[in-house]
């Protein structure tokens, strides 16, 4: 460790991301397909311990045993047995209609009760030991709730319950988005049972199209509402059902329609019913919600949006060559947009009038049919992988910690953006690629940014060792760095687990 880490920083930073892209002679097509690699930094009395381990998913075990890719991922379709005859192929094709998805959970880490799970976007999650990174049991959401895919960005309420969303594809002739809750604890007399047995569906939102449900990576939450955005970036179910037969990946079954609308759904957390007014904006693609809150009858929510879906294409491995920073350019820059939506609006308001009464350049205009067309305020450009002080989740806030990306999809700096003053502080060094910054509040925090920001930094020259960076969240100045003499991969998302939240080995 170079520098001085705060004495109160005790716990584990646990991160997840794709780590292995070649198995035997076979290669994945897309960076997001790689085998999940977990890694952790344990902070103990000013020292830092590093550990990494591949997630031992069924997918990983199957691939390693065969020494080639056996299980399809989003951007890579796998054909387990090249010698199959035509009848067997047709049978495989039929059984792939809604495919058996991978359990290569490579995106994030979720907490449920006292346990931690590696998550992806399929119906499978894998329990892990956050101290040893050992892979434990596999959980199939589908056993408890009828979803084929689910987000890897759940929310946690004040009682520690998990709230998440998933899509139920053509179930009983309907396609719908389900919001479900996993309780943080189970009744005393059922101590042996898992919290998933008590999972409950909070509400459902019908998809606007039976065979073209919207893709989504996250959702928003305020004190009283859930915010779900149905974007015109959609999965084509018929194409997906024939993808195996046609020899194409599931990624090719996603399409963005730039002439379509983006619909906002607001679900009242008390009544479990959707607000009946129709709210929409122009076509956009987005992955990450930042935060949302309520003020004077309005819902204010901040997201990072794009004008097209070029981001996903950037990460095909054929594009990630040594010159890719020069060659690969996003055709749409990530933009931090603030929508201000008047939920309590006057029923007799004049058509074409702006119903936003808060000081903002965001507008919400009433149309002839009673629907409301929303236009956002642009807060800033060029940030992604946003994180906040989670104690302010669903509340009025000002600090966003994020990775700084311009036209290239790989972050070169990290930033702290103030949504109220629009000021931006940045940290960056030559030849450094930092990861998503994670904010950890100090134990006696009085203000939103009292604490530290943690990020793993990979050097562009493989001879230079990577390091974990610790910044003072208020000033964005460096407190210390822990240099790790191993190869480290670029990862996606992660979580900080304070020491007191870690079960001991005996437990």
């Amino acid at each position: 460790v170079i520098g001085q880490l705060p004495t109160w920083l005790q716990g584990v930073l646990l991160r997840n991301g794709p780590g292995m892209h070649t198995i035997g002679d076979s290669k994945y097509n897309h960076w997001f397909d790689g085998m999940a690699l977990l890694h952790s930094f344990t902070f103990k009395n000013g020292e830092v311990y590093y550990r990494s381990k591949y997630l031992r998913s069924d997918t990983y075990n199957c691939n390693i045993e065969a020494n080639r890719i056996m299980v399809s991922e989003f951007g890579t379709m796998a054909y387990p047995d090249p010698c199959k005859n035509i009848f067997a192929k047709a049978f495989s094709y039929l059984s792939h209609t809604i495919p058996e998805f991978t359990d290569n959970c490579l995106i994030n880490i979720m907490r449920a009760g006292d346990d931690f799970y590696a998550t992806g976007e399929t119906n499978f999650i894998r329990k892990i030991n956050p101290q040893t990174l050992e892979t434990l049991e596999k959980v199939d959401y589908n056993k408890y709730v009828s979803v084929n895919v689910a987000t890897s960005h759940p929310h946690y309420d004040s009682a520690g319950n998990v709230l998440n969303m998933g899509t139920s594809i053509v179930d009983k002739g309907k396609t719908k988005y389900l919001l479900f809750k996993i309780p943080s604890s189970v009744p005393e007399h059922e101590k042996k049972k898992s919290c998933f047995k008590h999972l409950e569906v909070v509400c459902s939102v019908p998809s606007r199209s039976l065979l073209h449900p919207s893709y989504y990576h996250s959702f928003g939450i305020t004190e009283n509402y859930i915010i779900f955005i149905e974007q015109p970036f959609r999965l084509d179910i018929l194409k997906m059902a024939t993808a195996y037969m046609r020899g194409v990946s599931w990624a090719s079954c996603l399409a963005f329609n730039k002439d379509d609308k983006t619909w906002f759904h607001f679900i009242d957390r008390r009544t479990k019913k959707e607000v009946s007014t129709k709210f929409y904006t122009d076509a956009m693609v987005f992955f990450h919600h930042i935060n949302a809150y309520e003020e004077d009858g309005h819902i204010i929510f901040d997201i990072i949006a794009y004008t097209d879906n070029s981001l996903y294409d950037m990460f095909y491995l054929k594009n990630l060559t040594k010159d890719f920073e020069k060659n690969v350019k996003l055709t749409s820059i990530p933009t931090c947009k603030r929508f201000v939506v008047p939920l309590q609006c006057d029923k007799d308001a004049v058509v074409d009038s702006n119903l936003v009464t808060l000081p903002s350049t965001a507008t919400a205009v009433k149309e002839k049919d009673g629907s409301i067309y929303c236009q956002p305020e642009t807060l800033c450009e060029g940030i992604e992988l946003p994180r906040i002080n989670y104690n302010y989740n669903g509340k009025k806030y000002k600090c966003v910690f994020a990775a700084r990306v311009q036209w290239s999809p790989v972050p070169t700096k990290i930033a702290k953006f103030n949504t109220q003053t629009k000021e931006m502080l940045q940290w960056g060094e030559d030849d450094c690629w930092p990861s998503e910054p994670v904010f950890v509040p100090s134990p006696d925090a009085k203000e939103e940014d009292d604490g530290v920001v943690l990020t793993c930094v990979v050097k562009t020259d493989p001879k230079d060792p990577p390091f974990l960076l610790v910044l003072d969240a208020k000033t964005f100045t460096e407190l210390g760095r822990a240099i790790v003499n191993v190869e480290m991969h670029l990862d996606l998302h992660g979580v900080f687990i304070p020491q007191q939240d870690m079960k001991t080995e005996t437990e």
Side-chain angles (χ1 to χ4, degrees):
V1 173
I2 297 170
Q4 204 69 45
L5 306 186
T7 50
W8 57 261
L9 187 61
Q10 307 276 340
V12 176
L13 174 68
L14 188 53
R15 298 194 58 81
N16 196 354
M20 184 192 295
H21 290 91
T22 304
I23 301 161
D25 295 332
S26 57
K27 285 186 172 62
Y28 286 111
N29 298 330
H30 201 278
W31 187 64
F32 294 161
D33 292 344
M35 294 283 90
L37 182 56
L38 301 165
H39 63 156
S40 69
F41 296 88
T42 302
F43 299 88
K44 210 170 177 181
N45 307 328
E47 294 188 311
V48 182
Y49 301 83
Y50 178 77
R51 169 174 294 192
S52 69
K53 205 172 216 174
Y54 282 103
L55 184 76
R56 298 301 200 265
S57 58
D58 293 353
T59 299
Y60 175 93
N61 293 333
C62 181
N63 288 345
I64 295 297
E65 194 179 334
N67 198 33
R68 68 188 186 91
I69 296 168
M70 296 288 286
V71 181
S72 300
E73 298 293 337
F74 199 56
T76 310
M77 190 57 84
Y79 293 88
D81 187 352
C83 312
K84 270 189 181 169
N85 65 32
I86 187 73
F87 299 108
K89 277 196 175 130
F91 182 75
S92 298
Y93 150 64
L94 289 172
S95 64
H96 270 68
T97 309
I98 297 293
E100 167 76 359
F101 283 126
T102 174
D103 67 336
N104 177 32
C105 305
L106 79 158
I107 299 178
N108 206 352
I109 306 290
M110 173 181 101
R111 178 176 187 163
D114 290 333
D115 298 322
F116 293 87
Y117 295 84
T119 64
E121 295 193 313
T122 72
N123 50 303
F124 295 117
I125 58 176
R126 291 298 308 225
K127 187 173 169 183
I128 54 170
N129 178 324
Q131 280 168 313
T132 63
L133 304 187
E134 193 185 341
T135 304
L136 306 168
E137 62 261 30
K138 174 174 166 177
V139 173
D140 180 356
Y141 278 140
N142 218 331
K143 288 198 173 122
Y144 310 101
V145 56
S146 171
V147 295
N148 308 92
V149 289
T151 91
S152 54
H153 287 284
H155 281 283
Y156 305 92
D157 66 16
S158 53
N161 303 308
V162 178
L163 291 164
N164 204 359
M165 286 194 72
T167 303
S168 178
I169 300 172
V170 199
D171 180 44
K172 301 186 181 73
K174 292 192 170 79
T175 294
K176 50 190 186 282
Y177 312 106
L178 300 178
L179 175 75
F180 57 92
K181 179 164 113 178
I182 306 162
S184 59
S185 58
V186 297
E188 199 55 49
H189 62 281
E190 294 187 21
K191 269 290 174 251
K192 290 274 181 287
K193 282 192 181 172
S194 86
C195 51
F196 296 96
K197 289 231 169 30
H198 292 272
L199 183 150
E200 67 169 288
V201 174
V202 178
C203 81
S204 72
V205 174
S207 167
R208 294 187 75 80
S209 160
L210 177 70
L211 297 174
H212 297 87
S214 171
Y215 169 78
Y216 54 101
H217 183 76
S218 62
F219 62 101
I221 188 169
T222 69
E223 201 179 334
N224 299 300
Y225 294 92
I226 298 292
I227 301 157
F228 170 61
I229 300 178
E230 199 173 5
Q231 58 185 345
F233 185 32
R234 299 201 187 93
L235 206 47
D236 184 320
I237 301 304
L238 292 180
K239 278 190 174 173
M240 200 167 174
T242 57
Y244 186 77
M245 201 64 164
R246 290 183 296 122
V248 298
S249 71
W250 293 319
S252 69
C253 309
L254 266 176
F256 173 58
N257 183 348
K258 66 179 188 335
D259 302 317
D260 223 329
K261 294 172 177 164
T262 301
W263 296 90
F264 300 153
H265 301 274
F266 301 101
I267 297 139
D268 189 316
R269 292 173 64 181
R270 292 157 304 185
T271 63
K272 303 182 180 178
K273 299 261 188 303
E274 192 182 337
V275 173
S276 57
T277 312
K278 297 277 178 273
F279 298 95
Y280 74 95
T281 188
D282 301 321
M284 64 178 181
V285 171
F286 88 104
F287 301 93
H288 295 116
H289 275 265
I290 304 173
N291 199 4
Y293 60 94
E294 296 162 42
E295 190 176 339
D296 291 341
H298 297 70
I299 285 184
I300 295 160
F301 64 90
D302 300 340
I303 62 170
I304 295 185
Y306 298 81
T307 54
D308 63 29
N309 60 325
S310 65
L311 180 73
Y312 186 82
D313 295 339
M314 301 291 100
F315 287 98
Y316 276 101
L317 293 179
K318 63 176 188 284
N319 296 332
L320 298 182
T321 57
K322 63 180 191 310
D323 299 323
F324 97 104
E325 271 197 286
K326 292 189 209 71
N327 300 341
V328 175
K329 293 279 182 276
L330 287 163
T331 51
S332 162
I333 199 164
T335 307
C336 179
K337 295 190 170 183
R338 167 164 289 184
F339 286 91
V340 181
V341 178
L343 278 193
Q344 316 297 325
C345 48
D346 180 3
K347 292 277 178 282
D348 306 319
V350 183
V351 169
D352 292 337
S353 62
N354 175 21
L355 307 179
V356 175
T357 55
L358 295 176
S360 172
T361 55
T363 58
V365 173
K366 184 175 175 179
E367 308 216 305
K368 279 197 193 71
D369 62 359
S371 64
I372 293 173
Y373 170 53
C374 305
Q375 282 281 59
E377 171 185 347
T378 295
L379 297 180
C380 71
E381 288 189 331
I383 63 170
E384 243 306 354
L385 302 171
R387 294 293 290 256
I388 59 166
N389 176 341
Y390 203 77
N391 296 327
Y392 286 75
N393 191 44
K395 303 183 178 118
K396 193 165 183 174
Y397 78 117
K398 61 175 193 282
C399 298
V400 183
F401 303 98
R404 194 86 171 93
V405 280
Q406 285 297 115
W407 295 105
S408 161
V410 171
T412 48
K413 292 177 177 163
I414 55 168
K416 173 192 179 183
F417 177 69
N418 185 317
T419 59
Q420 290 166 12
T421 64
K422 310 284 199 292
E423 282 174 288
M424 195 180 283
L425 296 175
Q426 299 190 117
W427 177 92
E429 265 180 24
D430 288 350
D431 310 318
C432 283
W433 286 345
S435 66
E436 167 200 60
V438 174
F439 173 79
V440 183
S442 60
D444 50 0
K446 302 272 186 298
E447 291 178 19
E448 190 180 337
D449 54 2
D450 283 346
V452 295
V453 169
L454 308 176
T455 181
C456 316
V457 181
V458 175
K459 301 286 282 189
T460 53
D461 184 341
K463 288 195 287 292
D464 293 339
F467 58 93
L468 176 94
L469 178 71
V470 182
L471 299 179
D472 178 313
K474 218 180 234 338
T475 60
F476 237 52
T477 52
E478 181 174 334
L479 296 173
R481 59 177 69 183
I483 294 167
V484 187
N485 283 311
V486 297
E487 265 188 45
M488 207 190 285
H489 67 309
L490 282 170
D491 57 28
L492 290 167
H493 297 292
V495 61
F496 182 79
I497 311 166
Q499 191 50 52
Q500 65 269 22
D501 294 356
M502 297 282 278
K503 285 195 295 192
T504 60
E505 287 296 328
T506 51
E507 288 177 284

